[in-house]
């Protein structure tokens, strides 16, 4: 039992770190799907994306 808690904490941290690596989205990215136009539009900056499937995973705001 004593070893289980640190292993569980490590597993949770590793999962969160690996899931974050696949995305560069920030809190300012607010993607909204417009199905009639078949596109995604960011409510924060107005960027437009036409992904093949699913929501965009990267912020398109200019640096």
């Amino acid at each position: 039992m004593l070893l289980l808690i640190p292993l569980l904490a490590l597993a949770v941290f590793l999962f969160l770190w690996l899931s974050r690596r696949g995305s560069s989205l920030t809190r300012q990215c607010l993607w909204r799907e417009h199905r009639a136009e078949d596109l995604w539009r960011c409510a924060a900056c107005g960027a437009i994306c036409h992904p093949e499937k699913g929501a965009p995973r990267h912020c398109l705001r200019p640096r």
Side-chain angles (χ1 to χ4, degrees), residues 22-55:
S23 173
S24 68
L25 297 179
T26 62
R27 289 182 182 260
Q28 291 80 26
C29 294
L30 300 170
W31 290 102
R32 303 290 186 253
E33 182 179 15
H34 295 270
R35 290 184 181 176
E37 302 167 3
D38 193 31
L39 58 84
W40 289 79
R41 187 179 313 243
C42 180
C45 68
I48 296 173
C49 183
H50 299 276
E52 288 78 37
K53 55 184 171 183

Side-chain angles (χ1 to χ4, degrees), residues 8-23 57:
L8 183 61
L10 180 65
V12 168
F13 175 76
L14 187 62
F15 170 76
L16 292 174
W17 182 66
L18 289 174
S19 65
R20 188 183 94 58
R21 287 183 54 205
S23 173
R57 295 187 53 85

